[in-house]
Amino acid sequence: MLRSIIAGIGMYVPENIVTNNDLIKYMDTSDEWIQERTGIKERRFAHRTEETTTTMGVEAAKIAIERAGITPQDIDFIVFATLSPDYYFPGCGVLLQRALKMKEIGALDVRNQCSGFVYALSVADQFIKTGMYKNILVVGAEKHSFGLDFSTRGRNVSVIFGDGAGAVVLQPSANENRGILSTHLHSDGESAEILAMYNPGTHANHWADKNYAFFDDATIGEMFMSHSMIDHAQNFPFMDGPSVFKKAVVKFPEVIMEALQQNGYQPSDLNMLIPHQANLRIAQFVQQKLGLTDQQVYNNIQKYGNTTAASIPIALCEAWQDGKIKQGDLVCLAAFGSGFTWAGALLKW
Ligand code: UT7
């Protein structure tokens, strides 16, 4: 049986560091509030005009490809996870294919927000296991800083998010004791609107009875993106933070236990849990619930904020670079976010 191994991993974060105190210039917030509620001290913001989600993904991909000992021309499939694509369409996968002068291979974009990278990894894993592809590039990248409301109105969302990218190269291995052991994908669309960016979109106020603020007086031809939307700041993400938090602290432990149990393991067997970096308080709650030690969980939200689809590959890459993940280690990746979607992956490094 073939297993997918991570043959190379890379990350990229922009140079520009934005501290909590820097945000005070734009909104009514404080370093104390942000650190106490989220654990975040600073985040990176991409260069406004020179960096995009794709360019950051490209930088992370170059490192992952080099570390896998191959060239961009060896990649035979791309899976690119992001919620902040360069264009509404086409996706970032083809832009990365062009930038790295790759062959005319397939490129798939995944739009599963915070669980996007684990979903993307799972898709790639299936193609490797069936023998269809030999070198799949999986990327998670986000440029949030370009689309957040930095006024006080948007502070519950804008203080959380940061920019960056991570990438891995998946390859097949005949060694059953290495690589991805299983992936677990879930969704519950019941609360889709409580963490969402409604516009631009084709909903045409369809869900307005749910009490979430959508555009009001759009006329024909203006439905997708109207002046009114912009005037009412409805072109920014919306989040009912406490509701998301409550669901996250249930679903994170659930999917981690599912992954462990399916493979005959328990929490104490884990060498490293890489939780999606949503909020340090969520990660600490999950750690406590599963009885994990500080050495068993990796967090870097303090430095980068929540980078959505990029957060897991960035954290995984950094943990590995710091020598905290070694060959043979049992590693669990777990994510929860908008949708809701949540996902887990268990692997032997
Ligand atoms: O990765 C995607 C998935 N997302 C998540 O997992 C996020 C989950 N949720 C959270 O992380 C938390 O709910 C937040 C960090 C977003 C918010 O923390 P909270 O402890 O749930 O605060 P809250 O939304 O209940 O707001 C508490 C107070 C409110 O003021 P009042 O009504 O008590 O006077 C907010 O207006 O804090 C206020 N507030 C702020 N104050 C200063 C909200 N944002 C800010 C801010 N600075 N940035």
Side-chain angles (χ1 to χ4, degrees):
M1 182 191 160
L2 289 178
R3 286 224 192 268
S4 312
I5 55 159
I6 295 182
I9 184 163
M11 62 176 274
Y12 173 82
V13 288
E15 268 174 34
N16 181 24
I17 297 173
V18 177
T19 65
N20 294 340
N21 283 326
D22 290 332
L23 295 176
I24 295 169
K25 278 182 260 169
Y26 310 106
M27 66 187 84
D28 179 13
T29 189
S30 65
D31 181 43
E32 295 72 40
W33 191 96
I34 301 171
Q35 285 210 47
E36 191 188 307
R37 307 279 176 142
T38 71
I40 300 165
K41 294 184 170 133
E42 58 191 40
R43 74 285 292 139
R44 304 294 178 98
F45 281 178
H47 190 282
R48 284 186 74 75
T49 53
E50 283 168 25
E51 289 185 308
T52 72
T53 296
T54 300
T55 69
M56 290 188 283
V58 164
E59 292 309 314
K62 281 183 191 163
I63 298 166
I65 289 169
E66 197 190 324
R67 284 177 174 166
I70 58 171
T71 71
Q73 287 67 43
D74 297 316
I75 297 292
D76 46 19
F77 195 62
I78 301 162
V79 193
F80 199 124
T82 186
L83 66 65
S84 50
D86 294 27
Y87 303 131
Y88 191 83
F89 72 83
C92 290
V94 297
L95 304 179
L96 179 140
Q97 182 271 344
R98 176 175 70 187
L100 287 175
K101 300 184 172 54
M102 290 170 165
K103 290 183 292 196
E104 293 177 348
I105 54 173
L108 173 71
D109 272 48
V110 166
R111 293 188 48 174
N112 278 69
Q113 298 69 249
C114 301
S115 38
F117 183 79
V118 183
Y119 265 74
L121 195 72
S122 178
V123 170
D125 182 38
Q126 312 314 312
F127 281 125
I128 293 282
K129 284 197 296 209
T130 58
M132 185 152 170
Y133 296 123
K134 303 264 179 293
N135 290 296
I136 304 186
L137 178 67
V138 183
V139 181
E142 305 286 1
K143 183 176 175 179
H144 284 304
S145 58
F146 222 49
L148 296 173
D149 181 356
F150 286 104
S151 73
T152 297
R153 184 183 46 208
R155 65 184 179 174
N156 70 319
V157 175
S158 54
V159 300
I160 296 176
F161 293 100
D163 301 339
V168 299
V169 172
L170 282 196
Q171 289 178 347
S173 165
N175 181 349
E176 285 199 26
N177 290 319
R178 275 196 77 193
I180 298 174
L181 305 179
S182 63
T183 58
H184 307 267
L185 310 180
H186 296 283
S187 75
D188 175 5
E190 190 54 41
S191 305
E193 283 75 23
I194 79 167
L195 172 47
M197 185 162 143
Y198 312 123
N199 302 306
T202 61
H203 57 79
N205 258 349
H206 187 61
W207 301 103
D209 58 331
K210 288 216 168 183
N211 294 324
Y212 295 107
F214 294 134
F215 64 85
D216 44 17
D217 60 354
T219 55
I220 214 151
E222 277 198 324
M223 298 293 274
F224 190 67
M225 176 62 86
S226 71
H227 290 286
S228 152
M229 260 175 221
I230 294 164
D231 293 344
H232 294 92
Q234 289 167 346
N235 53 325
F236 294 117
F238 170 84
M239 177 167 74
D240 172 353
S243 298
V244 178
F245 195 104
K246 281 185 205 128
K247 192 87 172 179
V249 293
V250 174
K251 292 301 173 189
F252 264 107
E254 217 174 85
V255 81
I256 295 164
M257 285 310 295
E258 182 187 352
L260 288 170
Q261 279 166 359
Q262 177 161 322
N263 294 284
Y265 291 112
Q266 49 195 10
S268 56
D269 296 320
L270 264 183
N271 297 100
M272 188 57 79
L273 169 67
I274 308 276
H276 160 53
Q277 301 291 291
N279 181 326
L280 190 60
R281 285 164 57 213
I282 295 178
Q284 286 167 341
F285 186 95
V286 173
Q287 175 178 337
Q288 197 186 18
K289 180 109 199 254
L290 297 177
L292 299 171
T293 64
D294 289 349
Q295 286 67 40
Q296 285 175 290
V297 186
Y298 191 80
N299 289 302
N300 61 7
I301 191 170
Q302 301 89 331
K303 292 191 289 181
Y304 304 127
N306 177 343
T307 57
T308 310
S311 94
I312 287 183
I314 288 176
L316 185 63
C317 184
E318 226 178 48
W320 173 75
Q321 287 174 176
D322 290 355
K324 295 192 163 116
I325 297 176
K326 292 178 274 315
Q327 191 159 338
D329 278 359
L330 187 66
V331 179
C332 185
L333 316 178
F336 175 89
S338 162
F340 295 123
T341 64
W342 60 103
L346 194 68
L347 47 120
K348 274 263 175 149
W349 194 259

